[in-house]
């Protein structure tokens, strides 16, 4: 299969049904149907997610092909997320991709969702020179990895409890800001004072993270105010509270990155996943890069969140590295780890 093959990507690991077409490493389309149904439950309901994927997958794939001006017969492969993720959600994408590829007589390539995120800041661009560092910060994962040579990903640290995005979502829930909470906290924090309150920053051995203590301390802080003061704070100081919480998360992430940059001596760092859309994190990362003379790359906003272009692009990277056969006939793996060949 040539490197410039046209690849259809499919992503359905959580609550977004996404399809994209890439050719020669460039995205021709990236379509997405988000499932608003979960907002009223304050988190993703797996059973509802898989049902919604089933309704949406065909229209989303059609839209991605139409937008890219590509016919099914132009496709060289179908790349699909095989894990990690929700079993029922993954099955819809995998079942569709395998059947679609089978019908067209082309390979279906199984892609690790985390590997998709790892390469998401490179879509349409050149790959970094190895070694480089990648920090994945999403609703389900917080992981720091060293990309040692080409495709070898060495996990350096992970969260011991909540993921960074999960912390945003849980704190947003305490503050009645809806789900997902990251974008709402980001927006409010832009007008707030990060020094309003000093929430604790966990610093663990190595590059592991912990966010549950921070979430609990926001809860204790709110409970400690009593009803009247709490109502007043929610009315007048909500942006300050959001800014103070957000600053603690960003401090922990930037601190780990700074240490890892110094200790590994890498010259390039990528920050990816839903939380990489956060304005304060992007600003602090940019400053860190300028101070240390290290190139920092973060995905375009559309590629921070779960999307199918990153899945198709990860397949393109593997094809470009000459890996083809082992990727065919993907099976679902809800607990797939970073660095596992998929
Ligand atoms: O990567 P993603 O779309 O899905 C997972 O793989 O988990 O990430 C979703 C997460 C949610 O927790 C959401 O609250 C968070 O990313 N998020 C943000 C922002 N936008 C999305 N967190 C902080 N600031 C944002 N601007
Ligand atoms: Zn993700």
């Amino acid at each position: 299969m040539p490197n410039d093959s046209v690849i259809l990507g499919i992503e359905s690991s959580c609550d977004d049904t996404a399809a994209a077409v890439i050719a020669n490493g460039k995205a021709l389309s990236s379509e997405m149907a988000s499932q608003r149904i979960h907002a009223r439950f304050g988190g993703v309901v797996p059973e509802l997610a898989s049902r919604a994927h089933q309704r949406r997958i065909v229209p989303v794939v059609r839209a991605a092909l139409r937008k890219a001006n590509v016919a099914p017969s132009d496709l060289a492969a179908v790349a699909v997320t095989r894990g990690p993720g929700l079993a029922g959600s993954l099955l819809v994408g995998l079942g569709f991709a395998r059947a679609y590829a089978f019908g067209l007589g082309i390979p279906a390539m199984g892609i690790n969702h985390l590997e998709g995120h790892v390469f998401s800041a490179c879509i349409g661009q050149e790959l970094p020179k190895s070694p480089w560092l990648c920090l994945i910060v999403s609703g389900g994962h917080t992981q720091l990895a060293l990309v040692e040579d080409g495709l070898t990903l060495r996990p350096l640290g992970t969260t011991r409890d909540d993921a960074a995005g999960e912390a945003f979502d849980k704190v947003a829930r305490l503050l009645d800001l809806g789900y997902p909470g990251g974008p709402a906290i980001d927006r409010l924090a832009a007008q707030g004072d990060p020094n309003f309150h000093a929430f604790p920053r966990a610093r663990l051995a190595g590059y592991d993270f912990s966010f549950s203590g921070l979430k609990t301390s926001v809860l204790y802080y709110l409970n400690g105010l009593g009803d009247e003061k709490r109502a007043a704070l929610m009315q007048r100081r909500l942006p300050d509270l959001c800014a103070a919480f957000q600053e603690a998360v960003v401090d922990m992430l930037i601190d780990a990155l700074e240490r890892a940059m110094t200790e590994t001596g890498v010259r390039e760092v990528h920050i990816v996943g839903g939380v990489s859309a956060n304005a304060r994190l992007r600003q602090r990362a940019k400053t860190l890069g300028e101070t240390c003379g290290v190139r920092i790359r973060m995905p375009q906003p559309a590629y921070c969140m779960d999307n199918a272009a990153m899945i198709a692009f990860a397949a393109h990277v593997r094809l470009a590295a000459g890996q083809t056969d082992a990727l065919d006939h993907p099976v679902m793996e809800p607990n797939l780890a970073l660095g596992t060949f998929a």
Side-chain angles (χ1 to χ4, degrees):
M1 203 184 308
N3 290 343
D4 60 353
S5 306
V6 182
I7 302 172
L8 170 68
I10 292 175
E11 152 65 36
S12 70
S13 64
C14 192
D15 60 339
D16 296 313
T17 317
V21 176
I22 69 151
N24 199 20
K26 299 215 168 14
L28 303 184
S29 66
S30 184
E31 294 298 299
M32 156 101 71
S34 294
Q35 304 178 358
R36 276 183 291 274
I37 190 167
H38 306 284
R40 82 180 83 133
F41 300 102
V44 177
V45 183
E47 181 63 26
L48 296 179
S50 50
R51 292 180 194 197
H53 283 307
Q54 245 206 339
R55 280 195 298 276
R56 284 164 188 185
I57 190 135
V58 170
V60 169
V61 167
R62 280 212 181 108
L65 291 171
R66 201 181 320 117
K67 201 149 199 184
N69 202 17
V70 158
S73 55
D74 297 330
L75 296 172
V78 181
V80 60
T81 304
R82 82 172 187 100
L86 301 170
S89 291
L90 288 167
L91 270 181
V92 177
L94 264 168
F96 176 88
R98 288 188 60 158
Y100 196 63
F102 184 77
L104 290 170
I106 57 176
M109 302 167 60
I111 297 296
N112 185 325
H113 177 84
L114 296 171
E115 193 172 311
H117 276 303
V118 165
F119 291 104
S120 61
C122 309
I123 298 171
Q125 301 178 19
E126 83 288 8
L127 291 178
K129 282 202 181 65
S130 300
W132 52 283
L133 278 170
C134 187
L135 176 66
I136 308 171
V137 270
S138 71
H141 302 272
T142 299
Q143 241 176 350
L144 183 63
L146 186 68
V147 187
E148 282 180 316
D149 60 83
L151 292 166
T152 314
L153 303 173
R154 183 153 66 89
L156 296 182
T158 186
T159 180
R160 301 232 184 125
D161 39 60
D162 294 345
E166 196 178 353
F168 272 95
D169 294 337
K170 286 179 173 171
V171 167
R173 200 170 175 171
L174 293 176
L175 302 174
D176 285 329
L177 293 175
Y179 174 86
I185 291 184
D186 189 355
R187 256 193 319 275
L188 282 164
Q191 290 118 46
D193 173 11
N195 299 315
F196 168 67
H197 183 81
F199 287 113
R201 278 87 164 138
R203 191 173 178 177
L204 306 182
Y207 302 110
D208 277 354
F209 301 92
S210 169
F211 296 101
S212 74
L214 170 60
K215 168 200 67 194
T216 309
S217 93
V218 175
L219 174 69
Y220 285 0
Y221 176 80
L222 289 171
N223 288 348
L225 290 175
D227 289 348
E228 219 169 285
K229 278 192 180 161
R230 183 177 172 150
L233 175 128
M234 293 291 275
Q235 242 186 1
R236 289 198 296 272
R237 309 294 302 260
L238 195 53
D240 295 332
L241 188 68
C242 288
F245 157 75
Q246 177 181 273
E247 200 66 11
V249 176
V250 172
D251 270 350
M252 287 189 263
L253 297 174
I254 293 288
D255 173 66
L257 269 183
E258 197 168 1
R259 283 184 287 124
M261 276 162 50
T262 311
E263 284 162 29
T264 59
V266 298
R267 307 309 307 151
E268 182 153 347
V269 174
H270 292 199
I271 306 174
V272 300
V275 181
S276 70
N278 183 270
R280 181 67 176 148
L281 177 61
R282 289 179 95 91
Q283 182 191 42
R284 293 274 307 274
K286 192 166 165 271
T287 308
L288 178 69
E290 284 161 5
T291 316
C292 303
V294 166
R295 182 175 182 190
I296 306 272
R297 272 200 254 180
M298 287 167 283
Q300 295 175 28
Y303 302 143
C304 291
M305 308 295 228
D306 287 350
N307 65 90
M310 71 183 192
I311 301 303
F313 187 79
H316 159 79
V317 172
R318 288 217 171 260
L319 286 176
Q323 295 175 358
T324 51
D325 297 351
L327 296 164
D328 205 359
H329 307 301
V331 283
M332 179 185 70
E333 185 48 78
N335 299 318
L336 198 65
L338 182 71
T340 311
F341 184 77

